[in-house]
Amino acid sequence: MASDEEMSGALAWLNKFCADNTDKYEKEENPLRIIAYYISNHEMQGACMSWASSYLHKLDCPLNFALVLSYHIAKEVELLDTTQNFTQHDTEQGTQTVAAEVARCVFNKVHQVCCRWQSAPELPYFVKEYMLDDGKIFSGACADQNRRKKMEDRYICIPNLNNLLQLEGKRVSYHAVYDGHGGIDAVAYTIQHLHLNIAKSPNFVNDPAKAIEEGFILTDKNFVQKANRENLRSGTTSVVIMITSTHLHVGWVGDSQAILARNQTHIDIMTPHKPEREDEKKRIEDLGGGDPDIKSLLLDGTEDFVVIACDGLWDVIPPWEAVELVVDYVKDFGVDADATAKHLVTQAVDRGSQDNITIIIVFFEDGPLVTSCRPPKEEESVIFPIPIAVTPEAQAILERLDRSVRGAQESPEPAVEPSTDQEVPISENRATTNGSRPPTPRSERTTPRGETPHKQQDCMSRGVTPHGLVTDTAEVK
């Protein structure tokens, strides 16, 4: 989770925002294009959190701070009397509220809450509690529109869902990738509401796997009603990973996939739904859509990381090789979750993936891979860590040796000029253990003759917010 440094960054952002803005959104035009025309009461929280986080992301708000801000902004909007503040219409599915009016209220609340928090003696306790919560996992993500005309993937990373929503129970992290098709209505709706519907399940604390199943079913039911009401025809795949202190729970619909690495070895934890398979197509048709599959695994301490991705990765890189690529990259360049996710995206693009590519990598802080790659602490001494008694003569010898070692460290060896008949080695990028090479910078890569360069938007494609809640907009203005 966040560090003291990230907390300082959040405070600096808050001070700058309030210095540059008033406590009201004053521009006539909304900062985001709102797709939904109406929202119902049960959709209010998810929509408000999404609009708030998207606006905060546009303002370069630190990600974890944006998450906790968005939740409390949505709560304040929910407390308003909708009949007095917004235009409403009665439909067969109940009372519907004009979405653009609610969104405008959300943008105003962003300014109000920020100015209120900035003027207070200190941030509310729940902000510090969320920002400084030290979990045992950390994640990074990257999304690439690639060669597609539109970006229809979405992803979300919430390090502590309980803490964010101020719920009881043990710590649960939430990470998910959604791959939309036929438009973005379904994927936008899912990213707004699925995690909230899971958290609202009465089984969330004691039976997370059951809560995931119930959340999927409720989200699908609600979107079908919305689709029928508004004549929507899009869909989405979903793969969700929830991690507690003891278990990893995975739920999925469609062909997006998650894999686990234990002791640097690939472990299958799910079988993606492939509608091109006749048996899978029949199963989906018989169900009238697709019920989720759920699986739970007991953590044993040997877990290294989880990779969650859409088929833009898996179509060109098999799971076992994805694990090898992550392990090799971490060993060569260190543990950087965002950079590692970007490396996998680059590999998929270079191998000819034509689809949108979205990848989340969740590392286990105490896993064997991270532990083995963690640099030693500077204060640790490798010579005589425990004081010992020595004679004066021995002490004099040790002091001379110490001065000799320090002198050698401070006096580097002089450079040796190669002789004219000696071959000078040419520096090359060192190949990794599986034969691949570290990623080539985008500026140095060329596109094969006859091909159009793909669109790369480093770790952020249109409508995608790294680590956070994502808007239901087709494009951020």
Side-chain angles (χ1 to χ4, degrees):
M1 282 289 287
S3 62
D4 289 327
E5 182 179 353
E6 190 171 354
M7 177 64 81
S8 299
L11 288 170
W13 178 87
L14 190 63
N15 290 331
K16 185 178 186 306
F17 174 84
C18 294
D20 296 341
N21 298 274
T22 67
D23 62 353
K24 183 179 180 180
Y25 181 77
E26 298 178 335
K27 295 182 180 179
E28 183 176 346
E29 185 181 48
N30 284 336
L32 308 173
R33 186 166 70 90
I34 309 302
I35 290 179
Y37 190 72
Y38 291 117
I39 57 173
S40 57
N41 288 338
H42 67 264
E43 298 168 341
M44 188 73 71
Q45 183 183 26
C48 290
M49 289 181 69
S50 176
W51 293 329
S53 65
S54 296
Y55 180 40
L56 288 165
H57 171 65
K58 184 179 180 181
L59 297 169
D60 296 322
C61 180
L63 296 172
N64 281 322
F65 191 48
L67 276 174
V68 70
L69 254 175
S70 300
Y71 171 73
H72 288 279
I73 288 166
K75 293 297 288 184
E76 291 199 10
V77 174
E78 284 186 287
L79 292 174
L80 296 174
D81 185 344
T82 55
T83 61
Q84 298 295 321
N85 291 277
F86 310 114
T87 304
Q88 294 187 310
H89 298 277
D90 292 328
T91 68
E92 294 181 357
Q93 285 79 34
T95 302
Q96 304 289 311
T97 304
V98 175
E101 295 181 8
V102 180
R104 184 75 183 193
C105 179
V106 168
F107 304 141
N108 278 323
K109 281 290 181 182
V110 168
H111 288 245
Q112 292 173 14
V113 173
C114 285
C115 290
R116 188 195 317 146
W117 286 7
Q118 192 270 340
S119 63
E122 61 181 12
L123 288 175
Y125 75 92
F126 48 78
V127 178
K128 296 179 180 179
E129 189 177 72
Y130 181 78
M131 293 281 290
L132 298 178
D133 179 24
D134 185 18
K136 293 298 183 182
I137 64 170
F138 59 96
S139 64
C142 187
D144 192 326
Q145 184 174 323
N146 203 10
R147 299 180 186 274
R148 289 296 179 94
K149 293 182 179 179
K150 295 182 179 180
M151 182 60 173
E152 295 182 333
D153 288 357
R154 299 290 186 270
Y155 69 92
I156 183 170
C157 303
I158 302 179
N160 191 337
L161 186 59
N162 304 59
N163 197 322
L164 176 65
L165 303 180
Q166 298 185 326
L167 302 174
E168 299 294 332
K170 55 188 177 182
R171 186 181 195 276
V172 178
S173 66
Y174 183 96
H175 298 80
V177 167
Y178 312 110
D179 182 359
H181 46 268
I184 65 169
D185 298 290
V187 71
Y189 190 91
T190 302
I191 201 168
Q192 285 183 359
H193 302 290
L194 180 55
H195 61 290
L196 296 176
N197 289 336
I198 292 172
K200 291 174 183 175
S201 166
N203 292 297
F204 179 69
V205 173
N206 297 320
D207 191 351
K210 184 66 174 176
I212 293 174
E213 180 182 11
E214 292 172 343
F216 266 88
I217 293 172
L218 178 59
T219 304
D220 183 68
K221 174 186 173 182
N222 290 341
F223 179 72
V224 168
Q225 291 179 351
K226 183 180 181 69
N228 291 334
R229 184 174 66 244
E230 301 181 16
N231 195 29
L232 306 177
R233 291 290 181 267
S234 63
T236 185
T237 72
S238 303
V239 56
V240 169
I241 292 288
M242 289 188 3
I243 301 175
T244 69
S245 59
T246 58
H247 286 80
L248 183 153
H249 306 280
V250 55
W252 71 98
V253 171
D255 57 3
S256 294
Q257 188 174 354
I259 61 170
L260 172 67
R262 274 180 168 155
N263 287 321
Q264 304 177 28
T265 302
H266 158 239
I267 304 293
D268 280 320
I269 57 175
M270 57 167 285
T271 302
H273 304 148
K274 295 284 187 179
E276 61 267 22
R277 284 171 28 204
E278 285 301 319
D279 59 334
E280 182 62 19
K281 181 179 180 181
K282 185 177 185 304
R283 187 188 75 86
I284 294 173
E285 290 174 346
D286 290 343
L287 289 170
D291 281 356
D293 278 341
I294 312 293
K295 189 172 182 179
S296 299
L297 293 87
L298 181 67
L299 302 178
D300 62 13
T302 63
E303 293 80 17
D304 291 313
F305 56 85
V306 177
V307 178
I308 315 165
C310 63
D311 59 350
L313 173 71
W314 307 121
D315 284 348
V316 295
I317 297 179
W320 63 267
E321 189 175 2
V323 169
E324 285 192 359
L325 288 169
V326 171
V327 171
D328 291 343
Y329 187 89
V330 169
K331 287 183 175 180
D332 285 347
F333 301 102
V335 184
D336 183 328
D338 284 318
T340 308
K342 185 178 179 181
H343 173 55
L344 274 187
V345 168
T346 301
Q347 289 288 319
V349 171
D350 288 347
R351 297 183 190 200
S353 177
Q354 303 293 309
D355 206 350
N356 299 151
I357 307 170
T358 299
I359 299 171
I360 301 173
I361 303 181
V362 184
F363 284 97
F364 290 83
E365 181 73 42
D366 297 329
L369 178 63
V370 174
T371 302
S372 66
C373 296
R374 186 180 294 130
K377 296 181 180 179
E378 295 181 1
E379 66 270 21
E380 291 180 351
S381 174
V382 295
I383 302 178
F384 300 130
I386 301 175
I388 59 175
V390 295
T391 64
E393 292 82 3
Q395 181 65 37
I397 294 173
L398 289 173
E399 290 177 355
R400 286 198 299 272
L401 286 172
D402 182 62
R403 287 195 296 270
S404 176
V405 171
R406 290 179 185 275
Q409 292 175 341
E410 295 172 359
S411 302
E413 292 184 8
V416 178
E417 294 292 335
S419 61
T420 55
D421 58 348
Q422 180 181 1
E423 182 179 354
V424 180
I426 300 175
S427 175
E428 294 183 347
N429 286 334
R430 180 170 59 86
T432 54
T433 56
N434 70 345
S436 64
R437 296 187 180 277
T440 304
R442 289 280 178 188
S443 59
E444 297 178 13
R445 292 222 303 273
T446 58
T447 303
R449 183 175 300 174
E451 293 189 11
T452 303
H454 67 275
K455 296 180 181 178
Q456 167 70 21
Q457 299 176 346
D458 292 339
C459 292
M460 186 181 71
S461 295
R462 281 182 284 179
V464 180
T465 304
H467 302 143
L469 304 171
V470 182
T471 181
D472 65 345
T473 58
E475 185 173 335
V476 178
K477 293 182 179 178

